[in-house]
Amino acid sequence: MKTFEIWSLAIQIVGILAVVVTILYASKQIRINKNIHKETLEWNRKTVTENELNNRHDKEIRSFLTKKFQAYVEKGICKIPLVKIQDAIRDEIDIQLQIHSYLNRYERISRGIKNGLYDRAMIISAMKYVIVKVYFNYEDYIEYRRTIANKNSWKHFESLAKELNNEYKIHTDPSEE
């Protein structure tokens, strides 16, 4: 081999090594950035969850509905009879809007958990009892609305409430005892 060919081969080898080192370095940086972004995503998820937990925009609605159906809600986890809800709506149409707004909040939270927006553990730690209670309080009304409107109304909320109830045994059906 001539000197020129040796130098040419050496330059090619150095070039290949430089490309390999660059690829390895870039790969390492991608892994580091992936972990940083994963941690940032987790932090953001917890921040959004905490904001949702602190957001008490349903406080007035909850208070209004609690007063309206006090005899049932005070008992804890029991169904508000459908006829009582229908009578209340007939007397005051805004009650339907209030109930829907209230149930929609829990549907949004449930969808947020399912889609990874909210941190499930934080929501469950703070709200598991409330989620189960609200669902079972309004279960008959939810079923009724599904028969006359959207058959998928509050499905994520129902699923989460039943899952939590099965996991934590918060509510037992008196007919099963």
Side-chain angles (χ1 to χ4, degrees):
M1 270 180 131
K2 297 180 184 174
T3 306
F4 174 75
E5 290 174 346
I6 293 174
W7 278 106
S8 177
L9 184 59
I11 290 171
Q12 288 176 354
I13 291 172
V14 168
I16 292 171
L17 287 174
V19 168
V20 170
V21 168
T22 302
I23 291 171
L24 290 174
Y25 180 74
S27 173
K28 180 179 178 183
Q29 289 302 312
I30 289 170
R31 281 193 303 274
I32 289 170
N33 285 335
K34 177 185 166 193
N35 289 334
I36 289 170
H37 289 300
K38 185 178 178 182
E39 290 170 6
T40 302
L41 175 64
E42 198 55 38
W43 174 261
N44 289 340
R45 183 186 339 272
K46 289 181 186 306
T47 301
V48 168
T49 303
E50 190 63 34
N51 289 341
E52 178 60 35
L53 291 171
N54 287 331
N55 184 355
R56 300 305 305 194
H57 62 273
D58 70 329
K59 186 177 181 180
E60 290 177 16
I61 295 172
R62 189 181 72 242
S63 177
F64 173 78
L65 292 174
T66 298
K67 287 176 187 169
K68 200 69 174 168
F69 303 111
Q70 191 168 7
Y72 303 99
V73 176
E74 280 182 343
K75 294 178 184 177
I77 302 175
C78 69
K79 291 181 184 184
I80 301 170
L82 178 58
V83 69
K84 295 295 181 187
I85 295 173
Q86 289 172 321
D87 289 347
I89 291 170
R90 251 188 307 281
D91 294 343
E92 194 176 342
I93 193 66
D94 281 353
I95 291 175
Q96 183 174 13
L97 179 63
Q98 301 292 334
I99 292 170
H100 289 208
S101 180
Y102 193 49
L103 296 176
N104 286 344
R105 176 176 192 234
Y106 293 101
E107 177 69 7
R108 280 190 309 277
I109 289 170
S110 302
R111 268 195 328 264
I113 290 170
K114 181 178 188 260
N115 293 316
L117 175 64
Y118 297 134
D119 183 271
R120 186 180 192 282
M122 287 176 70
I123 295 285
I124 289 171
S125 173
M127 299 181 72
K128 69 179 170 263
Y129 179 80
V130 174
I131 290 169
V132 171
K133 179 182 186 298
V134 170
Y135 173 75
F136 283 105
N137 283 161
Y138 292 93
E139 182 178 27
D140 287 348
Y141 181 74
I142 290 169
E143 289 301 321
Y144 167 73
R145 289 299 302 175
R146 287 178 182 162
T147 63
I148 65 168
N150 183 346
K151 67 180 180 180
N152 293 315
S153 297
W154 305 296
K155 283 287 190 182
H156 294 98
F157 175 37
E158 175 186 29
S159 178
L160 179 62
K162 287 183 174 181
E163 179 184 318
L164 294 175
N165 191 51
N166 287 338
E167 190 173 336
Y168 295 99
K169 309 295 183 222
I170 296 170
H171 170 64
T172 56
D173 187 346
S175 65
E176 294 175 358
E177 293 178 347

